[in-house]
Amino acid sequence: MARKSIARRIVRWMVWAFLAVVLFIASLLLLFRYVNPPTSAFILGYRMANPQTEVHQQWVDYEDISPWMPLAVVASEDQRFPDHWGVDFAAIRQALIEYQAGEGLRGASTITQQTAKNLFLWNGRSFLRKTLEAGLALALDGLWSKRRILEVYLNIAEFGPGIYGVEAASRAYFGASARQLSAEHSARLAAVLPNPKVLNAAAPSPYVRDRAFWIRGQMDQLSGLQYLRHL
């Protein structure tokens, strides 16, 4: 009986601890719907790993970002962004079909999932992290507008070693503010997002040039600036 009582207390404590964590995260999500996050999990991780290196980040509102930049990241990373619920289940199914057919397992993360990961989680491919990422993405899509998700993503995404957010990236690579980004420069910034520690928007490799060219074509196919006009 004593063991059963202890087990019940442990289970009850675990349930309450889980509910407390869920409530805390929900409160943060509601807060960050209106208040700009002061930092992110990825930025904190970089600071801890590189204490002697300066981190460059400057928050800019969505209205102060060239409209080509959100279009470029959507064209590059998540073309169904305006329509899905934070997780693109159709893309996940297609990735699994391709994997079962013998092709490599490709990522199917949405911009919402990447925002959740960069803001709250850690890098890696563990099942636990992907599960948490998907749950947070669904919550983000329910609590935030699509416009807010893009705004936060563009301000915390890593564009190079110690360079976070589109304003810092634009100034570091092109000597201009994010408001002044052209379609070509926006596509080049989007092209480095898959591996920003290696790829460079200012001195693009052939891979970055080819990917930026492909992104520009996708931007046009999505009907250009009209595609995100109603967000």
Side-chain angles (χ1 to χ4, degrees):
M1 291 296 292
R3 288 181 179 177
K4 288 183 178 180
S5 178
I6 292 173
R8 286 198 196 97
R9 281 201 292 267
I10 292 174
V11 170
R12 191 179 301 119
W13 181 87
M14 291 176 65
V15 169
W16 280 110
F18 174 77
L19 291 175
V21 170
V22 170
L23 181 61
F24 175 70
I25 292 174
S27 300
L28 275 182
L29 292 180
L30 282 171
L31 176 67
F32 290 156
R33 177 179 178 177
Y34 304 102
V35 178
N36 297 332
T39 187
S40 73
F42 271 38
I43 294 174
L44 289 174
Y46 184 86
R47 288 184 187 276
M48 292 175 64
N50 305 274
Q52 305 302 321
T53 305
E54 185 179 0
V55 171
H56 300 277
Q57 186 204 25
Q58 181 180 343
W59 188 280
V60 283
D61 294 335
Y62 190 88
E63 303 79 39
D64 294 323
I65 300 172
S66 164
W68 292 113
M69 192 64 219
L71 177 63
V73 296
V74 167
S76 172
E77 314 243 324
D78 184 6
Q79 295 190 7
R80 283 192 284 266
F81 175 77
D83 303 314
H84 62 62
W85 296 348
V87 177
D88 191 342
F89 294 103
I92 293 172
R93 282 195 298 271
Q94 184 61 36
L96 290 174
I97 290 171
E98 292 173 1
Y99 178 70
Q100 291 169 353
E103 301 180 27
L105 183 61
R106 63 177 176 84
S109 291
T110 64
I111 286 175
T112 314
Q113 287 176 261
Q114 293 176 52
T115 304
K117 178 184 71 175
N118 290 359
L119 197 55
F120 294 110
L121 302 175
W122 63 94
N123 211 350
R125 291 184 173 273
S126 69
F127 179 76
L128 173 62
R129 188 192 65 74
K130 292 298 290 184
T131 302
L132 291 173
E133 177 188 296
L136 285 168
L138 292 169
L140 276 179
D141 197 78
L143 294 173
W144 294 7
S145 67
K146 295 285 187 178
R147 183 185 176 99
R148 179 59 172 169
I149 292 169
L150 271 176
E151 180 180 49
V152 173
Y153 176 69
L154 288 171
N155 275 286
I156 64 173
E158 183 181 14
F159 288 91
I163 300 174
Y164 292 87
V166 65
E167 180 70 13
S170 182
R171 293 188 179 278
Y173 294 130
F174 306 122
S177 69
R179 182 193 289 272
Q180 298 171 302
L181 283 170
S182 65
E184 288 73 19
H185 283 172
S186 297
R188 202 186 297 177
L189 285 176
V192 307
L193 286 171
N195 195 353
K197 288 184 171 60
V198 174
L199 304 177
N200 190 300
S205 64
Y207 168 81
V208 171
R209 289 187 183 278
D210 289 346
R211 183 167 174 79
F213 181 79
W214 177 84
I215 292 169
R216 272 298 284 123
Q218 295 300 302
M219 291 162 69
D220 290 338
Q221 284 193 17
L222 291 175
S223 70
L225 295 178
Q226 298 298 314
Y227 191 64
L228 301 179
R229 188 182 61 176
H230 298 297
L231 289 185

Short mmCIF file of all heavy atoms in Angstrom, two decimals, residues 107-149:
data_model
loop_
_atom_site.label_atom_id
_atom_site.label_comp_id
_atom_site.label_asym_id
_atom_site.label_seq_id
_atom_site.Cartn_x
_atom_site.Cartn_y
_atom_site.Cartn_z
N GLY A 107 13.87 16.77 -45.29
CA GLY A 107 13.11 17.49 -44.28
C GLY A 107 11.79 18.00 -44.83
O GLY A 107 11.67 18.26 -46.02
N ALA A 108 10.81 18.12 -43.96
CA ALA A 108 9.51 18.66 -44.38
C ALA A 108 9.05 19.72 -43.38
O ALA A 108 7.87 19.91 -43.17
CB ALA A 108 8.49 17.53 -44.49
N SER A 109 10.02 20.40 -42.76
CA SER A 109 9.69 21.40 -41.76
C SER A 109 9.14 22.66 -42.40
O SER A 109 9.67 23.15 -43.40
CB SER A 109 10.93 21.76 -40.92
OG SER A 109 11.31 20.69 -40.10
N THR A 110 8.10 23.20 -41.82
CA THR A 110 7.52 24.45 -42.28
C THR A 110 8.26 25.63 -41.63
O THR A 110 9.06 25.46 -40.70
CB THR A 110 6.04 24.53 -41.90
OG1 THR A 110 5.94 24.55 -40.46
CG2 THR A 110 5.27 23.34 -42.44
N ILE A 111 7.99 26.83 -42.12
CA ILE A 111 8.55 28.02 -41.49
C ILE A 111 8.07 28.13 -40.05
O ILE A 111 8.81 28.55 -39.16
CB ILE A 111 8.17 29.27 -42.32
CG1 ILE A 111 9.01 29.31 -43.60
CG2 ILE A 111 8.37 30.55 -41.51
CD1 ILE A 111 8.64 30.43 -44.56
N THR A 112 6.83 27.73 -39.80
CA THR A 112 6.29 27.77 -38.43
C THR A 112 7.08 26.82 -37.54
O THR A 112 7.41 27.17 -36.39
CB THR A 112 4.81 27.38 -38.43
OG1 THR A 112 4.14 28.09 -39.48
CG2 THR A 112 4.16 27.71 -37.11
N GLN A 113 7.39 25.62 -38.02
CA GLN A 113 8.18 24.68 -37.23
C GLN A 113 9.59 25.22 -36.98
O GLN A 113 10.13 25.09 -35.88
CB GLN A 113 8.27 23.34 -37.96
CG GLN A 113 6.98 22.53 -37.93
CD GLN A 113 7.07 21.26 -38.75
OE1 GLN A 113 6.61 21.22 -39.89
NE2 GLN A 113 7.67 20.24 -38.19
N GLN A 114 10.17 25.84 -37.99
CA GLN A 114 11.51 26.40 -37.82
C GLN A 114 11.50 27.55 -36.82
O GLN A 114 12.44 27.72 -36.05
CB GLN A 114 12.05 26.85 -39.17
CG GLN A 114 12.32 25.71 -40.14
CD GLN A 114 12.76 26.19 -41.49
OE1 GLN A 114 13.70 26.99 -41.60
NE2 GLN A 114 12.09 25.75 -42.54
N THR A 115 10.43 28.33 -36.83
CA THR A 115 10.30 29.41 -35.85
C THR A 115 10.23 28.84 -34.44
O THR A 115 10.91 29.33 -33.53
CB THR A 115 9.05 30.25 -36.14
OG1 THR A 115 9.10 30.75 -37.47
CG2 THR A 115 8.93 31.42 -35.17
N ALA A 116 9.41 27.81 -34.26
CA ALA A 116 9.29 27.17 -32.95
C ALA A 116 10.62 26.59 -32.50
O ALA A 116 11.02 26.74 -31.34
CB ALA A 116 8.22 26.08 -33.01
N LYS A 117 11.32 25.92 -33.42
CA LYS A 117 12.61 25.31 -33.09
C LYS A 117 13.63 26.37 -32.69
O LYS A 117 14.29 26.26 -31.65
CB LYS A 117 13.12 24.51 -34.28
CG LYS A 117 14.49 23.87 -34.07
CD LYS A 117 14.98 23.17 -35.33
CE LYS A 117 15.36 24.16 -36.40
NZ LYS A 117 15.95 23.51 -37.59
N ASN A 118 13.78 27.40 -33.53
CA ASN A 118 14.77 28.44 -33.24
C ASN A 118 14.47 29.18 -31.94
O ASN A 118 15.38 29.56 -31.19
CB ASN A 118 14.81 29.46 -34.39
CG ASN A 118 15.41 28.87 -35.64
OD1 ASN A 118 15.82 27.71 -35.68
ND2 ASN A 118 15.47 29.67 -36.70
N LEU A 119 13.19 29.37 -31.66
CA LEU A 119 12.79 30.16 -30.50
C LEU A 119 12.92 29.39 -29.20
O LEU A 119 13.37 29.95 -28.18
CB LEU A 119 11.35 30.64 -30.68
CG LEU A 119 10.85 31.79 -29.81
CD1 LEU A 119 11.74 33.01 -29.94
CD2 LEU A 119 9.42 32.15 -30.19
N PHE A 120 12.54 28.09 -29.21
CA PHE A 120 12.41 27.36 -27.95
C PHE A 120 13.28 26.10 -27.82
O PHE A 120 13.51 25.66 -26.69
CB PHE A 120 10.95 26.92 -27.76
CG PHE A 120 9.98 28.05 -27.58
CD1 PHE A 120 9.05 28.35 -28.56
CD2 PHE A 120 10.00 28.83 -26.43
CE1 PHE A 120 8.15 29.38 -28.40
CE2 PHE A 120 9.10 29.87 -26.26
CZ PHE A 120 8.17 30.15 -27.24
N LEU A 121 13.74 25.53 -28.91
CA LEU A 121 14.31 24.19 -28.84
C LEU A 121 15.79 24.18 -29.19
O LEU A 121 16.47 25.18 -29.05
CB LEU A 121 13.51 23.25 -29.76
CG LEU A 121 12.01 23.15 -29.44
CD1 LEU A 121 11.29 22.31 -30.48
CD2 LEU A 121 11.79 22.58 -28.05
N TRP A 122 16.28 23.05 -29.63
CA TRP A 122 17.69 22.85 -29.94
C TRP A 122 17.79 22.19 -31.32
O TRP A 122 16.82 21.66 -31.84
CB TRP A 122 18.35 21.98 -28.87
CG TRP A 122 17.78 20.59 -28.81
CD1 TRP A 122 18.25 19.47 -29.44
CD2 TRP A 122 16.61 20.16 -28.07
NE1 TRP A 122 17.46 18.37 -29.15
CE2 TRP A 122 16.46 18.77 -28.31
CE3 TRP A 122 15.70 20.82 -27.24
CZ2 TRP A 122 15.41 18.03 -27.75
CZ3 TRP A 122 14.66 20.08 -26.69
CH2 TRP A 122 14.53 18.71 -26.92
N ASN A 123 18.99 22.21 -31.87
CA ASN A 123 19.19 21.60 -33.17
C ASN A 123 19.36 20.09 -33.01
O ASN A 123 19.77 19.61 -31.97
CB ASN A 123 20.42 22.18 -33.86
CG ASN A 123 20.27 22.20 -35.36
OD1 ASN A 123 19.34 21.61 -35.90
ND2 ASN A 123 21.18 22.87 -36.05
N GLY A 124 19.05 19.35 -34.05
CA GLY A 124 19.18 17.90 -33.99
C GLY A 124 18.03 17.22 -34.69
O GLY A 124 17.07 17.86 -35.13
N ARG A 125 18.10 15.90 -34.78
CA ARG A 125 17.09 15.13 -35.50
C ARG A 125 16.40 14.10 -34.61
O ARG A 125 15.89 13.12 -35.11
CB ARG A 125 17.75 14.41 -36.70
CG ARG A 125 18.20 15.36 -37.79
CD ARG A 125 18.74 14.60 -38.99
NE ARG A 125 19.04 15.49 -40.11
CZ ARG A 125 18.16 15.85 -41.03
NH1 ARG A 125 16.92 15.38 -40.98
NH2 ARG A 125 18.51 16.64 -42.03
N SER A 126 16.38 14.30 -33.33
CA SER A 126 15.76 13.33 -32.42
C SER A 126 14.23 13.36 -32.57
O SER A 126 13.64 14.39 -32.91
CB SER A 126 16.14 13.61 -30.98
OG SER A 126 15.56 14.81 -30.52
N PHE A 127 13.63 12.21 -32.29
CA PHE A 127 12.16 12.11 -32.36
C PHE A 127 11.51 13.04 -31.34
O PHE A 127 10.48 13.66 -31.62
CB PHE A 127 11.73 10.66 -32.11
CG PHE A 127 10.25 10.46 -32.14
CD1 PHE A 127 9.55 10.43 -33.35
CD2 PHE A 127 9.52 10.32 -30.96
CE1 PHE A 127 8.17 10.28 -33.38
CE2 PHE A 127 8.14 10.15 -30.98
CZ PHE A 127 7.47 10.13 -32.19
N LEU A 128 12.12 13.16 -30.16
CA LEU A 128 11.57 14.04 -29.12
C LEU A 128 11.52 15.48 -29.60
O LEU A 128 10.50 16.16 -29.47
CB LEU A 128 12.41 13.94 -27.85
CG LEU A 128 12.05 14.94 -26.73
CD1 LEU A 128 10.62 14.73 -26.25
CD2 LEU A 128 13.04 14.82 -25.57
N ARG A 129 12.64 15.95 -30.19
CA ARG A 129 12.64 17.35 -30.63
C ARG A 129 11.64 17.58 -31.74
O ARG A 129 10.94 18.59 -31.75
CB ARG A 129 14.04 17.77 -31.11
CG ARG A 129 14.10 19.28 -31.38
CD ARG A 129 15.34 19.69 -32.12
NE ARG A 129 15.41 19.14 -33.45
CZ ARG A 129 14.68 19.56 -34.49
NH1 ARG A 129 13.78 20.51 -34.34
NH2 ARG A 129 14.83 19.01 -35.67
N LYS A 130 11.55 16.65 -32.70
CA LYS A 130 10.60 16.82 -33.80
C LYS A 130 9.16 16.82 -33.29
O LYS A 130 8.32 17.56 -33.79
CB LYS A 130 10.79 15.71 -34.83
CG LYS A 130 12.10 15.78 -35.60
CD LYS A 130 12.23 17.07 -36.41
CE LYS A 130 11.28 17.11 -37.59
NZ LYS A 130 11.50 18.33 -38.43
N THR A 131 8.89 16.01 -32.26
CA THR A 131 7.54 15.97 -31.69
C THR A 131 7.21 17.29 -31.02
O THR A 131 6.12 17.86 -31.21
CB THR A 131 7.41 14.82 -30.69
OG1 THR A 131 7.71 13.57 -31.35
CG2 THR A 131 6.02 14.75 -30.11
N LEU A 132 8.15 17.79 -30.20
CA LEU A 132 7.95 19.08 -29.54
C LEU A 132 7.80 20.20 -30.57
O LEU A 132 6.96 21.09 -30.42
CB LEU A 132 9.13 19.37 -28.60
CG LEU A 132 9.25 18.49 -27.37
CD1 LEU A 132 10.57 18.79 -26.64
CD2 LEU A 132 8.08 18.70 -26.43
N GLU A 133 8.62 20.14 -31.60
CA GLU A 133 8.58 21.16 -32.66
C GLU A 133 7.21 21.19 -33.34
O GLU A 133 6.64 22.26 -33.56
CB GLU A 133 9.67 20.85 -33.68
CG GLU A 133 9.72 21.77 -34.88
CD GLU A 133 10.70 21.29 -35.92
OE1 GLU A 133 11.92 21.27 -35.62
OE2 GLU A 133 10.28 20.93 -37.03
N ALA A 134 6.68 20.01 -33.66
CA ALA A 134 5.37 19.94 -34.32
C ALA A 134 4.27 20.47 -33.41
O ALA A 134 3.40 21.22 -33.85
CB ALA A 134 5.08 18.50 -34.74
N GLY A 135 4.31 20.09 -32.13
CA GLY A 135 3.30 20.58 -31.19
C GLY A 135 3.35 22.08 -31.02
O GLY A 135 2.31 22.76 -31.02
N LEU A 136 4.56 22.62 -30.90
CA LEU A 136 4.70 24.07 -30.77
C LEU A 136 4.25 24.79 -32.04
O LEU A 136 3.65 25.87 -31.97
CB LEU A 136 6.16 24.43 -30.46
CG LEU A 136 6.63 24.15 -29.03
CD1 LEU A 136 8.15 24.26 -28.95
CD2 LEU A 136 5.98 25.12 -28.05
N ALA A 137 4.53 24.19 -33.19
CA ALA A 137 4.14 24.81 -34.46
C ALA A 137 2.62 24.89 -34.58
O ALA A 137 2.07 25.91 -35.02
CB ALA A 137 4.72 24.03 -35.64
N LEU A 138 1.93 23.84 -34.19
CA LEU A 138 0.47 23.86 -34.22
C LEU A 138 -0.08 24.94 -33.28
O LEU A 138 -1.04 25.64 -33.61
CB LEU A 138 -0.09 22.49 -33.85
CG LEU A 138 0.16 21.37 -34.86
CD1 LEU A 138 -0.20 20.01 -34.27
CD2 LEU A 138 -0.64 21.61 -36.14
N ALA A 139 0.56 25.06 -32.10
CA ALA A 139 0.12 26.09 -31.14
C ALA A 139 0.40 27.49 -31.69
O ALA A 139 -0.44 28.40 -31.57
CB ALA A 139 0.84 25.89 -29.80
N LEU A 140 1.59 27.68 -32.30
CA LEU A 140 1.92 28.98 -32.88
C LEU A 140 0.91 29.37 -33.95
O LEU A 140 0.46 30.52 -34.00
CB LEU A 140 3.32 28.93 -33.51
CG LEU A 140 4.53 29.15 -32.62
CD1 LEU A 140 5.80 29.05 -33.44
CD2 LEU A 140 4.46 30.50 -31.94
N ASP A 141 0.57 28.43 -34.81
CA ASP A 141 -0.36 28.74 -35.89
C ASP A 141 -1.75 29.07 -35.36
O ASP A 141 -2.47 29.85 -35.96
CB ASP A 141 -0.44 27.55 -36.86
CG ASP A 141 -1.04 27.95 -38.19
OD1 ASP A 141 -0.31 28.56 -39.01
OD2 ASP A 141 -2.22 27.66 -38.43
N GLY A 142 -2.09 28.49 -34.22
CA GLY A 142 -3.39 28.78 -33.63
C GLY A 142 -3.44 30.11 -32.90
O GLY A 142 -4.48 30.76 -32.85
N LEU A 143 -2.30 30.52 -32.33
CA LEU A 143 -2.28 31.71 -31.49
C LEU A 143 -1.75 32.96 -32.20
O LEU A 143 -2.07 34.07 -31.81
CB LEU A 143 -1.42 31.45 -30.24
CG LEU A 143 -1.96 30.40 -29.26
CD1 LEU A 143 -0.94 30.11 -28.17
CD2 LEU A 143 -3.26 30.87 -28.63
N TRP A 144 -0.91 32.77 -33.21
CA TRP A 144 -0.31 33.90 -33.92
C TRP A 144 -0.90 34.01 -35.32
O TRP A 144 -1.40 33.04 -35.87
CB TRP A 144 1.19 33.73 -34.06
CG TRP A 144 1.99 33.76 -32.80
CD1 TRP A 144 1.51 33.79 -31.53
CD2 TRP A 144 3.41 33.73 -32.69
NE1 TRP A 144 2.54 33.78 -30.63
CE2 TRP A 144 3.73 33.75 -31.33
CE3 TRP A 144 4.44 33.69 -33.62
CZ2 TRP A 144 5.04 33.74 -30.86
CZ3 TRP A 144 5.75 33.67 -33.17
CH2 TRP A 144 6.05 33.71 -31.81
N SER A 145 -0.80 35.18 -35.89
CA SER A 145 -1.13 35.35 -37.30
C SER A 145 0.03 34.85 -38.15
O SER A 145 1.17 34.75 -37.68
CB SER A 145 -1.41 36.82 -37.61
OG SER A 145 -0.22 37.59 -37.48
N LYS A 146 -0.23 34.56 -39.42
CA LYS A 146 0.83 34.16 -40.33
C LYS A 146 1.87 35.28 -40.47
O LYS A 146 3.07 35.02 -40.54
CB LYS A 146 0.24 33.84 -41.71
CG LYS A 146 -0.67 32.63 -41.74
CD LYS A 146 0.10 31.33 -41.66
CE LYS A 146 -0.82 30.14 -41.87
NZ LYS A 146 -0.07 28.86 -41.83
N ARG A 147 1.40 36.49 -40.48
CA ARG A 147 2.29 37.65 -40.59
C ARG A 147 3.24 37.71 -39.40
O ARG A 147 4.44 37.97 -39.55
CB ARG A 147 1.44 38.92 -40.67
CG ARG A 147 2.20 40.22 -40.87
CD ARG A 147 1.21 41.36 -40.81
NE ARG A 147 1.83 42.65 -40.89
CZ ARG A 147 1.90 43.37 -42.00
NH1 ARG A 147 1.40 42.90 -43.12
NH2 ARG A 147 2.47 44.56 -41.99
N ARG A 148 2.72 37.44 -38.18
CA ARG A 148 3.56 37.47 -36.98
C ARG A 148 4.59 36.35 -37.01
O ARG A 148 5.74 36.54 -36.61
CB ARG A 148 2.67 37.35 -35.73
CG ARG A 148 3.44 37.34 -34.40
CD ARG A 148 4.27 38.60 -34.21
NE ARG A 148 4.83 38.67 -32.88
CZ ARG A 148 5.75 39.56 -32.51
NH1 ARG A 148 6.23 40.44 -33.38
NH2 ARG A 148 6.22 39.57 -31.28
N ILE A 149 4.18 35.18 -37.48
CA ILE A 149 5.13 34.06 -37.58
C ILE A 149 6.29 34.43 -38.49
O ILE A 149 7.46 34.22 -38.16
CB ILE A 149 4.41 32.80 -38.08
CG1 ILE A 149 3.42 32.29 -37.03
CG2 ILE A 149 5.42 31.70 -38.42
CD1 ILE A 149 2.48 31.21 -37.54
#
